[in-house]
Amino acid sequence: MSSRVIVTPVDIEVDGAKCTIVEITSREWIDKRIIYTVSVYCEYAGRRSQIFHLDVTSNEELINKLRVEVAKMKIAIASGYDHLFRQM
């Protein structure tokens, strides 16, 4: 059995936003699936979100869930709710 070590933080770009992965933890479910909890924050248009957590089983699922979070952030900023995010 091989394992891969990822040293955080790791920055990735998702739909024009910079998403910073702060921590990744894993756990095994009773059915033997491995679930990863990813702690991340996103920066967009001079605003930064709080750290939030996503449960994922793959890199593809992580990217898809980050796309949703970035879209919600963009909508909030465009709607005038930019006070929900820290100004950079």
Side-chain angles (χ1 to χ4, degrees):
M1 175 186 226
S2 67
S3 63
R4 188 171 80 168
V5 176
I6 299 173
V7 178
T8 56
V10 174
D11 293 331
I12 58 173
E13 184 179 332
V14 177
D15 294 341
K18 181 175 109 174
C19 298
T20 302
I21 298 171
V22 179
E23 182 179 37
I24 303 169
T25 58
S26 65
R27 62 188 181 282
E28 186 175 334
W29 283 36
I30 196 165
D31 63 359
K32 303 298 182 193
R33 286 185 301 150
I34 303 294
I35 304 295
Y36 299 94
T37 300
V38 180
S39 302
V40 61
Y41 64 85
C42 296
E43 297 175 13
Y44 178 77
R47 300 284 191 254
R48 178 181 158 187
S49 72
Q50 295 182 16
I51 293 177
F52 57 93
H53 312 284
L54 299 171
D55 289 330
V56 299
T57 58
S58 67
N59 287 339
E60 293 80 22
E61 185 178 7
L62 173 61
I63 296 301
N64 289 334
K65 287 187 175 186
L66 283 173
R67 283 189 177 127
V68 170
E69 294 301 322
V70 167
K72 290 191 295 187
M73 185 177 187
K74 287 178 176 182
I75 289 169
I77 291 170
S79 299
Y81 289 93
D82 57 342
H83 63 278
L84 298 173
F85 306 101
R86 192 174 112 203
Q87 188 169 9
M88 300 294 293

